[in-house]
Amino acid sequence: DGRSCPQCRSPIGIKDPLQHPEDRTIASRVAAEVSSAQIRERAIQSQQAMREIIERSSGTIPVFIMGGGRQQRPGRTVRLHFFEPRYKILIRRAWEGNRRFLWTDRRPSASAPLSGLLVTVDDARFLPDGRANIVGRGTELVTLDNAWIEEGTGGLWYARHDTNATHVVPMPSPVSLRPDEELPLFSFNGLSIGIGERKSFTFFEPRYLILANEVMESNEKLCICASAAVDGEVATVVKMEACQELIGGEGRKRVSLVGMQRVSLTSVWENAEKAGLQYAKVLVETNNSTSLSTLTSGSTRRSRKNARRVGGCIIS
């Protein structure tokens, strides 16, 4: 789990190299062979070298790769179970270090910066085989400029984390919705938009053309996106940043959406006079819980059979 000697595999119980007490037996043997002046000089050199190592390591952060990182947001509780050998090393080093790691959805690459959620570990419960259950919280979304696989870790990625290489991704302010406010919902199986994430779609179904017109004519330009139009479904309030009718596109519209706030659907209903566009109330999610105040939003019900028809739109 990252606490064994790389040569003999003996367990290492050192947690703080600078404060760890010396082995008196070894110290006495060294003192018998080496002068006190040489020992003091070597101690000063070793302490300086160790401080430099710790300073360099403080600018790096281990990377946890698993889908779902971008769906989280700063302030939300993070609960994970680490069982892969490389992630046993990650959590042990994080827990005995600065207690932070980066959660990202994809493997790092040289062609694109690494973006993800910076997680601070508040509690870690280790099992005898090195697995761990952790509870933490997302602190900020960041973009790191370079990453690499740390040698001898079984494939654990590290990334540079310092003032020059880290850029905080601004998070949208939570939207303010009025009680019983109605918002249309765009839905198809697999649809997901994270907070601050931008996606573009081409609408062609009549109900979604109505949705586009309604949203762009409203002051807030808000609607709801979800994978399914059912009570209890986690969804995202999104803002329509742009809507353009395509030339020669038989009325099709190109829309750009950005995620604003997570919500949960409830009381879904359908408006037959608007080509099946549905509406529903939602519960607004706070950092770690769901608000008891209800708001109204729209949704569309889609069958699983036709889900890959891309929900009446074309995804870019």
Side-chain angles (χ1 to χ4, degrees), residues 130-143:
R131 290 179 296 140
N133 297 306
I134 71 104
V135 178
R137 64 188 186 284
T139 56
E140 61 183 5
L141 291 176
V142 299
T143 298

Side-chain angles (χ1 to χ4, degrees), residues 204-244:
F204 57 84
E205 280 194 22
R207 56 180 170 175
Y208 294 140
L209 296 177
I210 295 174
L211 178 150
N213 291 334
E214 284 190 358
V215 172
M216 290 306 294
E217 291 174 0
S218 66
N219 293 328
E220 295 82 5
K221 295 179 173 52
L222 300 176
C223 60
I224 302 292
C225 286
S227 180
V230 295
D231 288 1
E233 181 75 11
V234 176
T236 306
V237 175
V238 299
K239 182 175 183 178
M240 189 172 292
E241 294 185 313
C243 178
Q244 181 179 8

Side-chain angles (χ1 to χ4, degrees), residues 3-310:
R3 300 182 67 195
S4 299
C5 172
Q7 297 295 327
C8 67
R9 312 310 301 170
S10 298
I12 298 175
I14 299 175
K15 295 184 178 181
D16 186 347
L18 291 177
Q19 301 297 326
H20 190 76
E22 67 179 8
D23 187 304
R24 294 185 177 181
T25 300
I26 296 176
S28 63
R29 291 180 179 178
V30 171
E33 301 292 336
V34 182
S35 67
S36 58
Q38 289 178 307
I39 292 177
R40 286 195 299 271
E41 182 180 358
R42 183 58 182 270
I44 294 173
Q45 294 174 352
S46 298
Q47 290 176 357
Q48 180 61 31
M50 183 58 66
R51 288 191 179 93
E52 291 176 356
I53 291 174
I54 293 176
E55 185 176 350
R56 287 197 303 270
S57 64
S58 66
T60 64
I61 189 168
V63 179
F64 173 57
I65 305 171
M66 188 182 76
R70 288 192 61 82
Q71 303 305 314
Q72 300 292 329
R73 64 172 179 171
R76 296 291 298 273
T77 297
V78 173
R79 300 177 186 273
L80 294 169
H81 173 69
F82 290 127
F83 59 89
E84 288 188 38
R86 56 179 172 171
Y87 295 137
K88 292 179 184 179
I89 295 174
L90 178 152
I91 186 55
R92 181 66 69 178
R93 290 183 177 181
W95 183 245
E96 295 179 355
N98 58 17
R99 301 196 177 186
R100 296 193 300 175
F101 65 89
L102 180 72
W103 182 0
T104 183
D105 288 343
R106 59 174 178 81
R107 288 171 59 89
S109 67
S111 60
L114 180 64
S115 298
L117 179 71
L118 197 62
V119 177
T120 297
V121 182
D122 295 320
D123 184 55
R125 304 297 174 90
F126 291 90
L127 302 179
D129 61 359
R131 290 179 296 140
N133 297 306
I134 71 104
V135 178
R137 64 188 186 284
T139 56
E140 61 183 5
L141 291 176
V142 299
T143 298
L144 305 176
D145 290 340
N146 61 333
W148 64 94
I149 295 178
E150 186 82 355
E151 185 178 356
T153 61
L156 178 62
W157 284 87
Y158 267 79
R160 183 68 57 190
H161 180 255
D162 53 41
T163 306
N164 296 325
T166 306
H167 313 288
V168 177
V169 178
M171 297 296 294
S173 301
V175 296
S176 178
L177 300 178
R178 300 182 300 276
D180 297 326
E181 181 179 0
E182 291 188 348
L183 298 174
L185 181 133
F186 169 45
S187 172
F188 65 82
N189 186 29
L191 174 60
S192 176
I193 299 182
I195 306 302
E197 184 178 9
R198 286 173 169 79
K199 289 187 177 181
S200 295
F201 305 88
T202 299
F203 287 166
F204 57 84
E205 280 194 22
R207 56 180 170 175
Y208 294 140
L209 296 177
I210 295 174
L211 178 150
N213 291 334
E214 284 190 358
V215 172
M216 290 306 294
E217 291 174 0
S218 66
N219 293 328
E220 295 82 5
K221 295 179 173 52
L222 300 176
C223 60
I224 302 292
C225 286
S227 180
V230 295
D231 288 1
E233 181 75 11
V234 176
T236 306
V237 175
V238 299
K239 182 175 183 178
M240 189 172 292
E241 294 185 313
C243 178
Q244 181 179 8
E245 186 168 348
L246 299 179
I247 299 176
E250 300 178 349
R252 297 185 179 191
K253 294 181 182 293
R254 183 73 170 173
V255 301
S256 177
L257 308 175
V258 58
M260 301 295 290
Q261 184 171 335
R262 301 294 279 179
V263 297
S264 297
L265 300 177
T266 183
S267 305
V268 178
W269 64 280
E270 183 177 294
N271 191 329
E273 296 180 355
K274 295 184 178 181
L277 185 61
Q278 292 176 297
Y279 294 84
K281 290 184 178 182
V282 300
L283 298 176
V284 179
E285 293 189 349
T286 58
N287 284 348
N288 298 313
S289 62
T290 303
S291 171
L292 295 179
S293 63
T294 60
L295 305 170
T296 303
S297 70
S299 68
T300 56
R301 186 179 303 278
R302 296 217 26 97
S303 67
R304 299 289 179 182
K305 180 179 179 181
N306 297 325
R308 294 323 305 161
R309 201 172 150 233
V310 204

